[in-house]
Amino acid sequence: MPFTASHATAGPRHAVIREVGLRDGLQSLAPTLPTAHKIAWLDAAYAAGQREIEVGSFVPARLLPQLADTAEVLAHAKTLPGLVASVLVPNLKGAQKALECDADLLVVPLSASHAHSLANLRKTPDEVVAEVARIRAQRDAGGHATLIEGGVGTAFGCTLQGEVAPEEVLRLMVALLDAGADRVSLADTVGFADPESVRRLFERARREVGDKLACAHFHDTRGMGLANAYAAWQTGIERFDACLAGIGGCPHAPGASGNVTTEDLAFMLERMGVATGLDVTALLALRRQLGAWLPGETLHGVLWQAGLPQVLNGAAAVAA
Amino acid sequence: MPFTASHATAGPRHAVIREVGLRDGLQSLAPTLPTAHKIAWLDAAYAAGQREIEVGSFVPARLLPQLADTAEVLAHAKTLPGLVASVLVPNLKGAQKALECDADLLVVPLSASHAHSLANLRKTPDEVVAEVARIRAQRDAGGHATLIEGGVGTAFGCTLQGEVAPEEVLRLMVALLDAGADRVSLADTVGFADPESVRRLFERARREVGDKLACAHFHDTRGMGLANAYAAWQTGIERFDACLAGIGGCPHAPGASGNVTTEDLAFMLERMGVATGLDVTALLALRRQLGAWLPGETLHGVLWQAGLPQVLNGAAAVAA
């Protein structure tokens, strides 16, 4: 047997789960969650320990009516002490709104798949890089504190183009940083990744840009969301996007559905001894609330069915 | 940032998925699948490339009427060339039947949790070890070729006892081998494991017994089934128990439900470049058939919803 031993080591002891359900989750659902419910979600997520939340997207309301109240939701988020409130912006115009609203972070999506980029953003990847340079200039000219993150999507392939070369993903990450992004993230937009492709790409990306690789964004399209998160964590990743109840997907990537589930990921990390600052029981309660707010929508995730591990007969409790 | 780099390496390039749906899956369902359907399942699983299948259990029919036809199913399995047909046996009496029926492998379950062992097997773990010695003597006296596997369950804790010390798991593994088991496996019977506890325990177990640690058995109770399988694979494990459609659980472990899903695990491994010999499309078709055979039963798994990755527009196909 040629294979003899593993050299796998433990990853970071702390991790952040950035809640993107209010943006990536809601944008792909048909119903529009009322602003009051979004604010209640924000408050409950904050109470459960979440300190990084993507509250919406500054895109034309006719394209994503579900996110038309992003400025209002962001204004509320800014009242929560210590919360890093981020927004997605597709272009300079959206970024200007984010800067005006004093978002803590703006995320500019770039699709490493040329075909997906044209279909989803109507720009080539390099045109997005050029837009990031303009956003950076605007940020600096205005003296805003808002951080800029370049989010490299379809990093593991896509339904329109098929394969995406890792070299192209790495080139675009570096180009984004050169253009003025403060940091970058990698996203498996359509659920094509597996733990080994995650390990390989994240290892290469970290060798290339170190801690500037700030976040991993996975979908659970084919059940590998948590396995992929574990693989990324092993390479040193400390921040993960996730959606409460695994809602969300990409309207331009057929077959894609469901981000990694916040409460399942939080439980896995805590169970692994990785501190997230999250109250998993509170997240499960919030999940139930979300189900009531979104009747008829399919919620995802597995933990909710079994709940936290229980020990009967008064034996010593197993750490959750 | 103290954490700088991963030393994770790739695991084995080949893996076997041992189908346990006909035993672990069916034993926890209320309806009894007719023998003809079990045989059709066997044939279809074999056609899909499965070469190791646990066909049933030699237990009193009054305890598990769902498995009362194990001898008949085993007889059919023995007609399929190259198939390793295994059965679960709780004691010497069951082992005698397995030997008489010329099973290729018999698996003796042992629960590392003392409390779970008493509740589930009515024996202490060390009494099971002693039974394995008697089974080995019987096997050798009869000159049977049947292999003996000791399956150490509740290796990551259980609902009755709570924590199970890794040292006790390792002690019992070694004791099983000393008593005459040809090999051992580790099972997260009730879904308490996480990828890091899997990595730690499997690394220690492999240091202790090497390739005599022959199989990993995970449940997806809290969504970590695939992540746990990935962690075990990283330590060198090449064989995984799984159930088609993720059916199954443990009737004596409240809250436990759903083994790792065969088709999801097969897809993950193949996607990782690990050869399983399995036709995932055929497994998905068999899953649909199983659903028709078990109306009203909840099937699990994620892959079936999205299907295999598709690439539109005639672009190069992405390897499935």
Side-chain angles (χ1 to χ4, degrees), chain A residues 8 10 15 42 48 52 75 84 98 112 114 116 142 145-146 156 194 213 224 226 247 302 310:
Chain A
L42 262 181
E52 301 197 15
V84 177
H114 200 273
H116 187 268
T146 305
F156 297 89
D194 66 75
L213 175 55
M224 284 180 258
L226 291 185
I247 61 172
V302 178
Q310 300 294 322

Side-chain angles (χ1 to χ4, degrees), chain A:
Chain A
M1 205 102 39
F3 185 84
T4 51
S6 160
H7 300 284
T9 57
R13 305 324 299 165
H14 293 81
V16 172
I17 296 179
R18 181 165 67 187
E19 178 62 48
V20 296
L22 287 148
R23 197 277 304 169
D24 201 359
L26 292 181
Q27 77 175 29
S28 57
L29 300 186
T32 298
L33 201 62
T35 308
H37 289 168
K38 292 186 183 180
I39 284 173
W41 181 350
L42 262 181
D43 287 345
Y46 183 83
Q50 296 203 277
R51 289 295 177 271
E52 301 197 15
I53 303 181
E54 195 164 284
V55 301
S57 182
F58 283 121
V59 289
R62 68 181 162 78
L63 292 182
L64 285 178
Q66 301 96 322
L67 306 182
D69 58 357
T70 291
E72 199 176 340
V73 179
L74 176 57
H76 180 76
K78 295 289 297 176
T79 68
L80 300 171
L83 179 68
V84 177
S86 59
V87 290
L88 194 89
V89 303
N91 51 31
L92 179 62
K93 195 169 169 189
Q96 283 166 335
K97 280 195 198 166
L99 295 171
E100 284 162 22
C101 294
D102 201 19
D104 298 302
L105 171 73
L106 61 84
V107 180
V108 185
L110 174 153
S111 192
S113 155
H114 200 273
H116 187 268
S117 185
L118 289 176
N120 200 22
L121 303 164
R122 315 267 171 218
K123 292 191 190 84
T124 67
D126 287 290
E127 285 169 350
V128 175
V129 171
E131 192 81 346
V132 165
R134 286 187 284 272
I135 292 169
R136 172 61 184 257
Q138 186 97 16
R139 194 270 307 263
D140 291 354
H144 300 282
T146 305
L147 284 174
I148 300 168
E149 177 175 313
V152 181
T154 62
F156 297 89
C158 92
T159 40
L160 299 175
Q161 177 174 317
E163 307 264 9
V164 171
E167 291 70 24
E168 176 69 353
V169 174
L170 298 173
R171 180 186 76 79
L172 289 165
M173 279 178 51
V174 172
L176 281 166
L177 293 168
D178 288 346
D182 298 293
R183 63 196 207 189
V184 290
S185 51
L186 287 178
D188 175 30
T189 311
V190 297
F192 270 38
D194 66 75
E196 275 297 281
S197 61
V198 167
R199 182 182 64 77
R200 286 194 301 268
L201 186 59
F202 275 78
E203 280 181 352
R204 289 181 68 175
R206 280 180 58 88
R207 277 200 296 273
E208 198 80 42
V209 303
D211 287 344
K212 299 266 183 188
L213 175 55
C215 190
H217 178 107
F218 296 118
H219 285 241
D220 196 41
T221 316
R222 292 176 178 87
M224 284 180 258
L226 291 185
N228 291 340
Y230 176 63
W233 174 81
Q234 286 187 309
T235 73
I237 292 293
E238 300 182 325
R239 182 178 287 104
F240 301 90
D241 283 349
C243 281
L244 189 70
I247 61 172
C250 175
H252 298 280
S257 68
N259 281 261
V260 167
T261 301
T262 300
E263 60 274 22
D264 289 12
L265 178 58
F267 178 71
M268 181 178 85
L269 289 168
E270 288 286 329
R271 190 86 177 169
M272 283 162 51
V274 178
T276 63
L278 297 173
D279 177 342
V280 178
T281 301
L283 291 174
L284 286 169
L286 181 52
R287 181 191 200 282
R288 286 192 294 276
Q289 177 61 66
L290 184 63
W293 286 336
L294 296 170
E297 289 296 329
T298 300
L299 304 188
H300 301 280
V302 178
L303 177 65
W304 70 275
Q305 299 175 52
L308 299 181
Q310 300 294 322
V311 177
L312 313 176
N313 303 339
V318 172

Side-chain angles (χ1 to χ4, degrees), chain B:
Chain B
M1 204 102 41
F3 185 84
T4 52
S6 161
H7 301 285
T9 57
R13 305 324 298 164
H14 294 80
V16 172
I17 297 179
R18 181 165 67 187
E19 178 62 47
V20 295
L22 287 148
R23 197 277 304 168
D24 201 359
L26 293 181
Q27 77 175 31
S28 56
L29 299 186
T32 298
L33 200 63
T35 308
H37 288 169
K38 292 186 184 181
I39 284 173
W41 180 352
L42 262 180
D43 287 344
Y46 183 82
Q50 296 203 276
R51 289 296 177 270
E52 301 197 14
I53 302 181
E54 195 164 283
V55 301
S57 183
F58 283 121
V59 289
R62 67 181 162 77
L63 292 181
L64 285 178
Q66 301 95 323
L67 306 182
D69 58 358
T70 291
E72 199 176 340
V73 179
L74 176 57
H76 179 78
K78 294 289 296 175
T79 69
L80 299 172
L83 179 68
V84 178
S86 58
V87 290
L88 194 90
V89 302
N91 50 32
L92 179 62
K93 194 169 172 191
Q96 283 166 334
K97 282 195 195 165
L99 295 171
E100 283 162 22
C101 294
D102 201 18
D104 298 301
L105 171 73
L106 62 83
V107 180
V108 185
L110 173 154
S111 192
S113 155
H114 200 273
H116 186 268
S117 185
L118 290 176
N120 200 22
L121 303 164
R122 316 265 171 221
K123 292 193 189 84
T124 66
D126 287 290
E127 285 168 352
V128 174
V129 170
E131 192 82 345
V132 165
R134 287 187 282 273
I135 292 170
R136 172 61 184 257
Q138 185 97 14
R139 193 268 310 263
D140 291 355
H144 300 282
T146 304
L147 284 175
I148 300 168
E149 176 176 313
V152 181
T154 62
F156 297 90
C158 92
T159 40
L160 299 174
Q161 177 174 319
E163 307 264 7
V164 171
E167 291 70 24
E168 176 68 354
V169 174
L170 298 173
R171 180 186 77 78
L172 290 165
M173 277 177 52
V174 172
L176 282 165
L177 292 169
D178 288 347
D182 298 292
R183 61 196 208 189
V184 290
S185 51
L186 287 178
D188 175 31
T189 312
V190 296
F192 271 38
D194 66 76
E196 276 296 281
S197 62
V198 167
R199 182 182 64 77
R200 285 193 302 267
L201 186 59
F202 275 78
E203 281 181 352
R204 289 181 69 175
R206 280 181 58 87
R207 276 200 297 272
E208 198 80 42
V209 303
D211 287 343
K212 299 267 184 188
L213 175 56
C215 190
H217 178 107
F218 295 118
H219 285 240
D220 195 43
T221 317
R222 292 175 177 89
M224 283 181 259
L226 292 185
N228 291 341
Y230 176 64
W233 173 81
Q234 286 187 308
T235 73
I237 292 295
E238 300 183 324
R239 184 178 287 103
F240 301 91
D241 283 349
C243 280
L244 188 70
I247 61 173
C250 175
H252 298 280
S257 67
N259 281 260
V260 167
T261 301
T262 299
E263 61 273 23
D264 289 13
L265 178 59
F267 177 71
M268 182 178 85
L269 290 168
E270 287 287 327
R271 190 85 176 171
M272 283 161 51
V274 178
T276 64
L278 297 173
D279 177 341
V280 178
T281 301
L283 290 174
L284 286 169
L286 182 53
R287 180 191 201 282
R288 285 191 296 275
Q289 178 60 67
L290 184 64
W293 286 335
L294 295 171
E297 288 296 330
T298 300
L299 304 188
H300 301 279
V302 178
L303 177 66
W304 70 275
Q305 299 174 51
L308 298 182
Q310 299 295 321
V311 176
L312 313 175
N313 303 338
V318 172

